[in-house]
């Protein structure tokens, strides 16, 4: 009797080939929700939050299913830097939910991210080597995401220990950034598929974490002394300046070496654009630099435009399978997503 195969829908086939970098879509959409809230566009912010939440739930279900029933693939993908998008996406959503007032959900997401973080981070760092793409900076992004959410909840919960834990993660994230920079292939600036922007995005989320920690201090908590406050102020400003420098350099590189074709790693371009806007707006508030509000909102609209372009590219790629590098099809030695495909 001939073997039979179970037919699958195009959506199922497309989803089964999705590389770990798809988590960057949640990060990008979630941070847009944060920036839209910061600038008062609450309806658009909640719409973005809903989209990010639905996508996160789908990815979480897939993450769990692979862990239970496709352990070999799960272990293989967990060793790639892109796996850390799971942690970063969870902390971004948790931060937005905390601002929305849903503290129980935000704390649950912090706990989930904190449980996943050490195992995934160790698995990823063990496989770091020279000549890596921009995804190498996701170790910093995931760690700083925990710092951002921890500092945000420290304010709402009046929790000094949570703020101090977030401070430790903040400094650890910066150490991971420096180490990742030594592993980063600078040629990616000219030829990267999109995740090279995380080199700047990691600094942006670090600046955001610094501003959150700076703002967490109060007479009720008294977290930092004068030296601590001065150091946080200086480091946060320096991180934002470095981030904006990366932003300008990467933008010029996109103009000099255009990469018009859609690639799923372009979500890792949208995230740094949105995170730079969020960091600029947060620093403006926390450090009382009101003139940064205008540039911050301008950066937000650039990120929104990029999100729309990448979304259109994703829809087009789904409708025309095989016509783009949307599944991470390139097989260069620096392409971490190519190692995750069957």
């Amino acid at each position: 009797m001939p073997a039979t195969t179970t037919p699958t829908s195009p959506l199922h086939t497309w989803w089964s080939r999705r590389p770990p970098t798809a988590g960057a879509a949640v990060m990008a959409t979630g941070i847009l929700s944060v920036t839209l809230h910061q600038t008062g566009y609450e309806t658009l912010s909640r719409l973005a939050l809903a989209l990010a939440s639905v996508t996160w739930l789908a990815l979480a279900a897939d993450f769990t299913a692979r862990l239970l029933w496709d352990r070999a693939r799960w272990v293989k993908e967990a060793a790639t830097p892109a796996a850390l998008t799971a942690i970063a996406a969870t902390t971004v959503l948790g931060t937005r939910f905390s601002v929305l007032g849903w503290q129980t959900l935000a704390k649950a997401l912090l706990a989930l991210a904190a449980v996943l973080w050490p195992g995934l981070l160790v698995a990823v760092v063990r496989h770091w080597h020279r000549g890596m793409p921009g995804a190498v900076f996701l170790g910093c992004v995931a760690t700083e995401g925990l710092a951002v959410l921890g500092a945000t909840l420290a304010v709402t919960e009046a929790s000094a220990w949570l703020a101090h834990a977030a401070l430790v993660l903040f400094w650890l994230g910066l150490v991971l950034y420096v180490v990742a920079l030594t592993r980063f292939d600078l040629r990616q600036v000219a030829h990267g598929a999109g995740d090279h922007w995380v080199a700047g995005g990691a600094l942006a989320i670090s600046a955001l974490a610094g501003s959150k920690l700076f703002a967490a201090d109060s007479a009720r908590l008294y977290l930092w002394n004068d030296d601590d406050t001065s150091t946080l102020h200086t480091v946060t400003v320096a991180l934002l300046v470095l981030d904006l420098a990366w932003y300008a350099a990467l933008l010029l590189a996109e103009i000099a070496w255009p990469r018009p074709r859609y690639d799923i790693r372009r979500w890792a371009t949208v995230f740094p654009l949105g995170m730079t806007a969020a960091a600029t707006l947060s620093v403006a508030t926390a450090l009382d630099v009101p003139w940064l509000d205008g540039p911050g909102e301008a950066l937000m609209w650039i990120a929104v435009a990029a999100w729309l372009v990448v979304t259109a590219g994703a829809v087009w790629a789904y409708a025309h399978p095989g016509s783009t590098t949307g599944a991470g099809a390139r097989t260069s030695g620096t392409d971490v997503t190519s190692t995750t495909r069957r």
Side-chain angles (χ1 to χ4, degrees):
M1 185 174 180
T4 59
T5 58
T6 303
T8 58
S9 68
L11 179 61
H12 181 273
T13 301
W14 171 81
W15 183 265
S16 68
R17 295 175 179 173
R18 171 198 55 78
T21 41
V26 181
M27 296 161 58
T29 310
I31 199 59
L32 280 186
S33 176
V34 172
T35 58
L36 287 164
H37 168 77
Q38 287 174 306
T39 50
Y41 297 94
E42 193 63 26
T43 300
L44 290 176
S45 173
R46 295 196 180 205
L47 177 59
L49 177 61
L51 290 172
S53 298
V54 169
T55 308
W56 184 91
L57 288 171
L59 292 173
D62 187 56
F63 179 93
T64 304
R66 291 185 186 184
L67 176 62
L68 295 176
W69 296 298
D70 195 357
R71 185 67 62 86
R73 180 176 180 180
W74 187 92
V75 171
K76 186 176 182 179
E77 293 183 348
T80 65
L84 293 171
T85 60
I87 297 170
T90 300
T91 59
V92 169
L93 285 182
T95 300
R96 180 66 183 98
F97 283 128
S98 179
V99 174
L100 200 59
W102 299 3
Q103 306 307 336
T104 300
L105 179 55
K107 286 187 284 187
L109 290 174
L110 175 61
L112 175 60
V115 168
L116 292 174
W117 173 72
L120 287 178
L121 182 65
V122 170
V124 169
V125 170
R126 286 178 58 200
H127 292 84
W128 277 3
H129 53 80
R130 294 193 180 277
M132 294 192 70
V136 70
F137 293 102
L138 285 169
C140 170
V141 171
T143 305
E144 295 292 355
L146 284 168
V148 170
L149 181 51
T152 302
L153 283 171
V155 175
T156 61
E157 301 297 308
S159 174
W161 77 264
L162 196 53
H164 286 111
L167 181 65
V168 172
L169 289 166
F170 170 70
W171 291 116
L172 177 59
L174 295 184
V175 171
L176 289 169
Y177 184 90
V178 172
V179 177
L181 189 60
T182 67
R183 304 292 191 267
F184 178 53
D185 181 3
L186 284 172
R187 293 173 297 179
Q188 291 287 303
V189 173
H191 306 294
D195 57 354
H196 56 292
W197 276 83
V198 185
L203 290 173
I205 195 171
S206 299
L208 178 62
S211 69
K212 293 288 186 180
L213 287 164
F214 186 89
D217 199 12
S218 66
R220 181 169 56 165
L221 291 178
Y222 190 65
L223 298 171
W224 328 121
N225 59 32
D226 290 342
D227 289 340
D228 295 332
T229 300
S230 177
T231 300
L232 269 177
H233 185 285
T234 301
V235 172
T236 299
V237 171
L239 287 169
L240 183 61
V241 170
L242 290 172
D243 169 41
L244 292 173
W246 259 119
Y247 191 112
L250 291 167
L251 185 59
L252 290 173
E254 293 282 353
I255 296 171
W257 296 280
R259 283 149 273 187
R261 294 186 68 188
Y262 170 76
D263 189 293
I264 195 169
R265 285 162 290 187
R266 273 302 181 188
W267 287 111
T269 299
V270 179
F271 171 73
L273 295 176
M275 184 56 74
T276 299
T280 302
L281 292 165
S282 183
V283 168
T285 300
L287 275 58
D288 193 23
V289 190
W291 63 265
L292 282 176
D293 287 333
E297 184 164 351
L299 290 169
M300 179 199 72
W301 289 118
I302 293 173
V304 169
W307 186 93
L308 292 172
V309 170
V310 174
T311 299
V315 172
W316 194 91
Y318 171 71
H320 302 81
S323 61
T324 72
T325 57
R330 294 190 298 179
T331 57
S332 70
T334 59
D335 183 2
V336 295
T337 61
S338 66
T339 65
T340 66
R341 299 183 64 190
R342 291 178 177 177

